[in-house]
Amino acid sequence: MSVVSSLARPWRSVSSLARPWRSVSSLCPPLRRLHVSPAAPSINRLPAGRHTIPEARAQVEVSTEEWKYVERLFPPKAIPKPTAAPGEVMPSGWVAPSAKPGDHPYFVRRNPSHQLPVYLTHNAIISKYRTKISHVEGDIWVLLEELRAYLQQRRDPKVLNMRAHEPHQRIEIKGQYVMEVRDFLLAKGF
């Protein structure tokens, strides 16, 4: 019987093939013995350590009175709300918001750090700047038109390319207008 005919019939046993299979153990190299240094057996001759816990430390006291001192060391989970009065200017230049939802048809909410959500992005490959205003709630189109009129009056650009992205609550302006947009939002009380 040839090897091909035995492979064609899968019900034949492996031992019926012309070439016998080698076992897995014959394919692995023989195991080497590890070298043991003379210092290793001498460790067993050392006296065993006998440690005992003193009676004074055998019981543990649970106290919650000192926990308030430990809690002071934890970092805060959120930035605390400022205690400044609405519209008050702090020594750092930060202005507390004075507008409330409903004062305007739109509302620009501050970011978690209590800063105005006005950002500048730069694409260095094509040297393109974009000013972005985030967290715009309400009628975003009214804010877009008021901001367009303010920027045209303030900077008088030839072309003012602006876009409102209502699902993301964001307005994008092509160019660097961060300071002008912040001045506009602070004048509105945001």
Side-chain angles (χ1 to χ4, degrees), residues 71-92:
E71 283 181 330
R72 290 190 322 192
L73 302 174
F74 293 153
K77 291 183 180 178
I79 298 173
K81 289 195 171 194
T83 57
E88 181 181 351
V89 180
M90 302 302 282
S92 63

Side-chain angles (χ1 to χ4, degrees), residues 105-116:
Y106 50 85
F107 186 74
V108 180
R109 196 167 300 280
R110 299 267 178 125
N111 64 15
S113 299
H114 308 291
Q115 301 293 327
L116 285 170

Side-chain angles (χ1 to χ4, degrees), residues 13-35:
S13 66
V14 176
S15 61
S16 66
L17 294 175
R19 184 174 166 181
W21 293 91
R22 289 190 284 178
S23 66
V24 176
S25 63
S26 66
L27 297 176
C28 298
L31 296 175
R32 295 184 327 171
R33 292 187 175 243
L34 296 176
H35 176 70

Side-chain angles (χ1 to χ4, degrees), residues 93-157:
W94 182 81
V95 180
S98 60
K100 295 178 182 65
D103 291 350
H104 302 284
Y106 50 85
F107 186 74
V108 180
R109 196 167 300 280
R110 299 267 178 125
N111 64 15
S113 299
H114 308 291
Q115 301 293 327
L116 285 170
V118 181
Y119 308 103
L120 180 70
T121 59
H122 178 238
N123 188 344
I125 296 173
I126 56 176
S127 186
K128 182 189 284 186
Y129 289 93
R130 286 194 180 270
T131 304
K132 295 182 181 181
I133 308 161
S134 302
H135 307 296
V136 180
E137 300 172 2
D139 196 352
I140 194 169
W141 306 104
V142 173
L143 174 62
L144 182 75
E145 291 307 317
E146 287 182 10
L147 193 58
R148 182 186 308 272
Y150 179 80
L151 292 176
Q152 285 177 344
Q153 179 187 27
R154 186 88 182 259
R155 292 265 301 254
D156 194 28

Side-chain angles (χ1 to χ4, degrees), residues 153-167:
Q153 179 187 27
R154 186 88 182 259
R155 292 265 301 254
D156 194 28
K158 292 180 184 176
V159 176
L160 188 60
N161 191 350
M162 298 177 73
R163 175 177 94 116
H165 198 280
E166 197 170 18

